Amino acid sequence: MIRWSKYIYAVLLISSFIGVIILLLFGISQAFSFLNTGADRSSMLHITLHKEQVYFPKLNWIDTINPGRPIEKQTLQDIEQDYLNAWYVRNVAYQSNTMDGVKDYYTKSSRKNIANTIRSNKEKNIEIHGTTTNHNIALDFYSADGQLAILSDTNVKEYQRVYREDTFLTETRLQSNYQVMLLLEDGFWRIRHLVKKGNQDQDTSLLSNGLAKVIKDKIYIENTEYTIKGINYYPQKTPWDMFGENYNIDVIAKDFDIIKGAGLNTIRIFVPYVVFGKAKVIPEKLQKLQEVLDKAEDKNLKVIVTLFDFYGDYSVLDWTLTHRHAEQIVTPLANHKAILAWDIKNEPNLDFNSRGKESVLAWLKEMIYQIRKFDPNHLITIGWSDMGSADLLQEEVDMVSFHYYLDIDEFTQKYKDVSAKISKPLVLQEFGLSSSRGLWSPFGASKKGQADYYEQFQKIIKEQNINYLSWTLYDFEEVPTAVVGKLPWRKHKQKHFGFIDSKGKKKPAFEFIK
């Protein structure tokens, strides 16, 4: 027994010794790993920062010629990356009132100014949500030892929104000039001085070729008055996934023939933000959109393109990603004759409660400005979910669009009330009735009831001379859960709004599609 106890004791002693050695070696390896991080720029970051994913302002080098030592291409890239990262971490610092990441991009002396601002904001319970959207950089000086660079950054477009204890106070838009000194320290170009040289008025002058315009409450295309008689469109087999793997331009072309043959002149289609690649738009998706627009032009149909479908962030720090998304889609299509209007987003007012009304409106206003810059030739609208939001941002848009799914008998008076407040063209952008009577909707409308609804609505439309787009061409066999949720009665209802049933047969309502 004593002998076995000695063996057990020896095993325990040896096991403990091995365990201590393993822990010691692990600690040494971690220490070496920490000490070696100076050679890896990405691992030195104290916050997770991927500029290409979270901060993507428009940057132009307007002058890179250095009168002394020529600057290397890689150095320019490093300066650009670290300079934009510096702006980003400063914006994060003022929003969170912390210094996380700041020391990676600012020298010790310059960090004092940021720390003082944060201290003052904390005392006042202030948070500043800010971003920059444009930088125009010139290289003024690059030292012979490659350790110092001086930049001029002109016409920097800045936006800030100020909160106190989660209560919105004010917003500001500036166009400023900066003088910047950067020092190379530990592999980073850190800001030593960032001095503002004054503000300028933003240049809002834009040139238009007049493809579409508004005069008072009328829409004109190439100087001819235009009344929208249209429909919201998805192919029957690919609802909410028009540009996906089952995209088929031949199917779309046949549908355009049906739409045109029914006497309609306009369609509304949707560009999903994530599916199209967010800040890095997928070329194949853009090519498909171009092809659809080309086909619409061939069929003499105008198109309202709804952007940012299923987008819901709106945060100021996310703005530059949406800028790049819009730029890559809108700019190459700025002269396309099929486009009638860019619809910034579908039903953004539904996000007021979850994202904050002021945040959503500020983003919409910013996107209107950006899209006008990318394309001054077409109209801009917003697809509000109801009449109650129709007067929001009415001065910024060209035509005011709203959706209506309430009692048809109340529509005429509500429409007159909205018309009295708005001098822009009004567009009934979505309306309709589902022929959803069945197990999940025993009191829903029948196909006959749907036809009666459209017959009555078309009389109102004619009497009031209303621009309209009904919802939608087809019944669908499947509706994505992301659209209406999992509840079967909601899915069932959404499947039966079409003028053509899921078997391809025209429903009685088709007689009143126009």
Side-chain angles (χ1 to χ4, degrees):
M1 190 69 178
I2 296 175
R3 184 177 178 184
W4 277 106
S5 298
K6 289 181 178 180
Y7 283 139
I8 294 172
Y9 178 76
V11 169
L12 290 174
L13 186 62
I14 293 171
S15 299
S16 300
F17 179 75
I18 293 173
V20 170
I21 293 298
I22 290 172
L23 289 173
L24 183 61
L25 291 173
F26 178 78
I28 293 172
S29 68
Q30 289 296 101
F32 273 114
S33 176
F34 175 79
L35 293 173
N36 286 331
T37 55
D40 183 356
R41 293 167 58 84
S42 62
S43 64
M44 290 175 67
L45 291 173
H46 291 183
I47 59 172
T48 302
L49 178 60
H50 303 289
K51 175 178 65 63
E52 67 278 9
Q53 297 177 8
V54 296
Y55 183 57
F56 210 158
K58 192 73 174 178
L59 184 143
N60 299 306
W61 281 99
I62 57 178
D63 183 7
T64 60
I65 299 175
N66 183 52
R69 172 185 172 179
I71 192 166
E72 304 82 2
K73 183 178 180 179
Q74 183 60 51
T75 301
L76 276 178
Q77 293 176 354
D78 290 344
I79 289 174
E80 176 181 322
Q81 175 177 310
D82 289 347
Y83 180 58
L84 291 182
N85 284 348
W87 274 100
Y88 178 77
V89 298
R90 193 179 79 152
N91 289 333
V92 171
Y94 289 161
Q95 180 170 320
S96 63
N97 282 330
T98 68
M99 292 289 287
D100 292 343
V102 172
K103 68 179 181 181
D104 287 330
Y105 295 102
Y106 292 85
T107 64
K108 184 176 181 179
S109 59
S110 63
R111 292 199 296 270
K112 292 180 181 178
N113 293 330
I114 298 176
N116 289 338
T117 300
I118 289 174
R119 189 178 304 110
S120 175
N121 288 345
K122 282 184 175 180
E123 292 173 355
K124 301 173 183 176
N125 291 320
I126 291 291
E127 292 179 3
I128 301 174
H129 296 220
T131 191
T132 60
T133 61
N134 275 76
H135 294 268
N136 302 282
I137 301 176
L139 178 66
D140 296 335
F141 178 75
Y142 180 51
S143 65
D145 61 3
Q147 301 295 304
L148 182 147
I150 297 176
L151 311 176
S152 294
D153 192 358
T154 56
N155 299 326
V156 179
K157 290 184 173 62
E158 301 179 68
Y159 174 83
Q160 291 183 340
R161 191 185 302 142
V162 182
Y163 292 84
R164 174 179 287 128
E165 296 180 343
D166 297 326
T167 300
F168 173 72
L169 298 181
T170 186
E171 65 178 0
T172 58
R173 295 173 187 268
L174 301 172
Q175 185 165 295
S176 310
N177 299 324
Y178 288 90
Q179 194 76 36
V180 188
M181 177 186 291
L182 300 107
L183 299 178
L184 184 62
E185 296 180 348
D186 302 324
F188 280 85
W189 284 97
R190 289 188 168 95
I191 289 181
R192 175 65 178 82
H193 293 294
L194 182 68
V195 181
K196 182 179 286 192
K197 294 294 186 179
N199 301 324
Q200 301 176 345
D201 294 332
Q202 291 198 25
D203 181 13
T204 58
S205 60
L206 298 169
L207 297 177
S208 171
N209 65 16
L211 290 177
K213 61 185 177 182
V214 165
I215 301 176
K216 295 183 179 179
D217 62 346
K218 304 295 183 184
I219 300 168
Y220 290 84
I221 296 178
E222 296 179 344
N223 298 317
T224 300
E225 187 177 338
Y226 188 84
T227 300
I228 298 172
K229 301 174 182 180
I231 195 163
N232 290 267
Y233 173 71
Y234 283 112
Q236 187 174 39
K237 299 298 183 183
T238 55
W240 291 273
D241 190 27
M242 182 172 176
F243 302 100
E245 292 181 0
N246 295 317
Y247 166 86
N248 189 324
I249 192 61
D250 294 331
V251 169
I252 293 170
K254 290 178 181 178
D255 288 345
F256 286 178
D257 286 333
I258 294 172
I259 292 168
K260 189 66 181 177
L264 303 177
N265 60 14
T266 308
I267 62 170
R268 178 176 177 235
I269 61 175
F270 301 82
V271 175
Y273 176 66
V274 174
V275 169
F276 262 65
K278 299 194 288 189
K280 295 183 178 180
V281 171
I282 300 168
E284 291 77 14
K285 300 291 185 183
L286 185 58
Q287 184 178 354
K288 290 176 182 178
L289 176 59
Q290 171 87 49
E291 194 173 36
V292 169
L293 293 171
D294 291 345
K295 191 62 64 176
E297 185 178 1
D298 290 343
K299 305 295 183 179
N300 198 26
L301 289 169
K302 294 298 179 186
V303 184
I304 296 173
V305 182
T306 298
L307 301 168
F308 294 101
D309 206 23
F310 295 104
Y311 173 76
D313 191 326
Y314 307 106
S315 64
V316 176
L317 289 173
D318 198 56
W319 278 17
T320 58
L321 276 73
T322 57
H323 290 174
R324 300 290 72 76
H325 177 85
E327 179 183 28
Q328 291 168 75
I329 292 175
V330 174
T331 301
L333 300 173
N335 293 303
H336 205 294
K337 291 188 176 181
I339 296 175
L340 171 63
W342 298 105
D343 178 12
I344 303 297
K345 190 180 187 307
N346 184 56
E347 301 185 339
N349 50 318
L350 297 183
D351 294 330
F352 283 174
N353 289 336
S354 61
R355 297 297 183 180
K357 182 177 180 179
E358 73 283 346
S359 297
V360 176
L361 292 178
W363 178 84
L364 289 167
K365 190 173 182 180
E366 172 68 12
M367 290 315 306
I368 291 170
Y369 170 77
Q370 292 293 329
I371 290 173
R372 284 203 195 283
K373 184 172 64 175
F374 303 143
D375 174 10
N377 304 320
H378 298 107
L379 307 180
I380 291 179
T381 191
I382 298 168
W384 301 113
S385 71
D386 54 41
M387 288 191 188
S389 301
D391 60 338
L392 298 173
L393 301 182
Q394 61 171 304
E395 297 302 321
E396 278 74 24
V397 298
D398 299 301
M399 57 188 192
V400 174
S401 300
F402 61 90
H403 304 168
Y404 190 85
Y405 292 99
L406 302 178
D407 189 343
I408 189 173
D409 294 329
E410 298 177 4
F411 176 82
T412 299
Q413 185 57 53
K414 289 183 177 182
Y415 182 79
K416 290 179 179 178
D417 292 343
V418 170
S419 298
K421 297 189 295 183
I422 296 172
S423 58
K424 302 285 180 73
L426 291 175
V427 181
L428 175 57
Q429 193 184 59
E430 283 187 26
F431 72 105
L433 183 69
S434 174
S435 60
S436 58
R437 180 174 294 178
L439 174 64
W440 294 111
S441 184
F443 304 106
S446 64
K447 290 182 179 180
K448 174 67 166 56
Q450 184 191 42
D452 292 342
Y453 167 90
Y454 277 111
E455 183 179 19
Q456 182 181 351
F457 225 126
Q458 284 296 345
K459 289 179 181 178
I460 297 171
I461 286 169
K462 185 176 181 180
E463 290 170 359
Q464 302 295 327
N465 192 28
I466 297 172
N467 296 288
Y468 70 90
L469 297 109
S470 51
W471 184 275
T472 178
L473 183 62
Y474 284 111
D475 283 354
F476 303 122
E477 293 184 356
E478 296 294 334
V479 175
T481 300
V483 177
V484 294
K486 297 180 179 180
L487 299 176
W489 49 90
R490 296 185 64 183
K491 281 194 171 186
H492 180 76
K493 181 178 180 180
Q494 188 62 58
K495 290 178 181 180
H496 297 279
F497 273 93
F499 291 90
I500 300 174
D501 68 22
S502 59
K503 306 299 183 182
K505 183 180 178 180
K506 292 178 181 177
K507 296 158 68 175
F510 194 91
E511 182 181 348
F512 307 106
I513 197 171
K514 173 181 177 291

